[in-house]
Amino acid sequence: MAKILILFSSTDGHTRQVVDYMISKLPPEHAVTIENIDEEKAVQLESYDAVLMAASIRYGHFSKASIRFANKNASTLNMMPSAFFGFCLTARKPHKRTPETNVYLRKFLQRTGWSPKISAAIAGGLFYPRYKWFDRIAIQMIMRMTGGETDTRKEIVYTDWTQVDDLTDRVHQIVAEAVS
């Protein structure tokens, strides 16, 4: 049985929903522990066969806790099967989903020194009605500049579930290889 640690940081809850979906798609022989990285609990990475982190972006930045964790643990993470998924609205465009084409993902990995076996940007959700006034206006302006949805009455999930399924399969593969 493989032990997988899944860490997440979610601004509006969508990253957590996708992580829960991924867990439901993993084979039942994996023992999965899930932790909110923003709570900054002490974690013994050596107790796990693989680590996956999923973090959302707001205004071009990942949470400080996710950056701190990756910085602090990059050397350990680099020696084990690991994956990093950044959730951002720019990934609604399929050509913006890799470390080579997604500036936020690339900067995070460069800044932290972490080289996960799998990394990708996943399109998140746009939840205008849930945002505070300032966030709604700021995000609307960003979406206008990038050709996205600007109707502040809408909630849109841009997540490509086929991409998520493929990434989940890849996570299972690297875990299976590590424990075989």
Side-chain angles (χ1 to χ4, degrees):
M1 176 185 304
K3 292 176 67 178
I4 303 172
L5 173 63
I6 299 180
L7 303 164
F8 75 94
S9 174
S10 187
T11 307
D12 298 307
H14 184 68
T15 301
R16 172 64 194 254
Q17 289 176 329
V18 176
V19 164
D20 287 342
Y21 174 83
M22 293 177 92
I23 291 169
S24 77
K25 296 294 184 176
L26 286 170
E29 66 263 18
H30 296 314
V32 177
T33 301
I34 185 166
E35 296 284 347
N36 183 340
I37 198 160
D38 294 320
E39 295 174 2
E40 300 196 53
K41 294 179 184 174
V43 177
Q44 296 298 323
L45 295 179
E46 298 80 11
S47 301
Y48 297 94
D49 298 305
V51 176
L52 181 153
M53 184 193 299
S56 63
I57 294 173
R58 180 59 59 94
Y59 301 127
H61 301 283
F62 290 101
S63 72
K64 290 178 179 162
S66 62
I67 294 168
R68 270 193 301 274
F69 181 87
N71 276 328
K72 179 181 174 187
N73 296 289
S75 60
T76 303
L77 290 166
N78 287 336
M79 293 187 300
M80 62 191 311
S82 63
F84 178 71
F85 303 129
F87 285 76
C88 60
L89 290 173
T90 57
R92 71 186 188 279
K93 300 173 182 179
H95 66 281
K96 295 284 188 179
R97 295 182 182 168
T98 68
E100 296 77 27
T101 61
N102 187 289
V103 66
Y104 306 116
L105 191 59
R106 184 172 57 250
K107 282 183 180 180
F108 177 87
L109 296 174
Q110 288 172 346
R111 178 178 180 184
T112 62
W114 182 16
S115 299
K117 299 228 182 312
I118 304 168
S119 57
I122 298 173
L126 182 62
F127 306 111
Y128 281 123
R130 301 182 202 179
Y131 301 150
K132 294 177 184 170
W133 180 85
F134 177 80
D135 289 334
R136 187 170 35 252
I137 299 306
I139 292 169
Q140 182 186 43
M141 185 175 66
I142 293 166
M143 293 302 282
R144 183 173 288 118
M145 292 182 333
T146 62
E149 180 59 61
T150 59
D151 184 342
T152 59
R153 297 169 294 178
K154 292 186 176 180
E155 290 195 359
I156 302 168
V157 173
Y158 289 104
T159 305
D160 177 346
W161 296 101
T162 301
Q163 178 198 22
V164 173
D165 287 340
D166 292 345
L167 291 169
T168 305
D169 289 344
R170 290 180 59 203
V171 167
H172 169 64
Q173 289 170 357
I174 66 167
V175 171
E177 290 170 5
V179 296
S180 62

